[in-house]
Structures are given as C-alpha cells and as structure tokens.
Amino acid sequence: MYTVEFYETEDGDKPVFDFMISLEPKMRAKVGAMMQLLAEKGNELRKPYTEHLDDGIFELRTIHGNNISRALFSFMLEIELS
C-alpha cells in the first residue's frame, strides 16, 4: 500500500487538494476513488488511469461523463535508516 500525500507550497497551500474540493460532488468522489486506487496499486496502475509524462512525473486521470480531471503526481522512496 502506498501513501498519497498532497504537495504543499512553502506558504501551506495544497493546490491539488484545493482543486479537488472545487469539483462538483460526483467528480470529487471519483477523483478520491482514483487516488485510493493509486494508493492500492502504486506504480502498477497503468493506462487509462495513469500516464507517464516525463522524468518521473505522472498524470492521474479521472473521467466522469464528458468531463476529465487530471492531477500530476510522482513517487517518493522513503528509506528508514537504523
């Protein structure tokens, strides 16, 4: 299982989170479900849900009717040293 963390600017803004809450309720629910799927599948999640864009940057795609929402993401490796 992966952890989905929202990018946060130096002043505390979370642009993707802000975008999500601006969506109409059905699309917001679908985007949330897609993020949950990303958390479950991680780098095994492929087209049509994700697309590799360039240099470790990916796009998460959510479609609802004629609308499509896209959010950029990347993977971070967390290493615990003991």
Side-chain angles (χ1 to χ4, degrees):
M1 183 94 168
Y2 291 75
T3 301
V4 174
E5 295 182 19
F6 291 100
Y7 166 74
E8 187 172 337
T9 64
E10 288 183 12
D11 59 350
D13 291 337
K14 294 182 179 180
V16 173
F17 181 79
D18 294 341
F19 169 72
M20 280 183 62
I21 61 173
S22 75
L23 297 171
E24 57 99 355
K26 288 183 181 180
M27 179 59 97
R28 184 172 47 239
K30 285 194 84 166
V31 170
M34 289 301 302
M35 288 187 176
Q36 178 63 37
L37 187 61
L38 179 61
E40 292 170 10
K41 301 286 185 180
N43 61 350
E44 294 178 7
L45 190 61
R46 304 272 193 244
K47 284 185 179 182
Y49 307 109
T50 65
E51 174 82 23
H52 178 251
L53 300 179
D54 189 31
D55 198 25
I57 305 296
F58 297 82
E59 176 182 72
L60 180 67
R61 298 174 175 179
T62 305
I63 300 171
H64 178 67
N66 293 330
N67 295 326
I68 184 167
S69 292
R70 295 178 168 99
L72 301 182
F73 70 94
S74 63
F75 292 99
M76 289 179 27
L77 179 62
E78 189 172 312
I79 298 173
E80 187 174 315
L81 301 175
S82 51

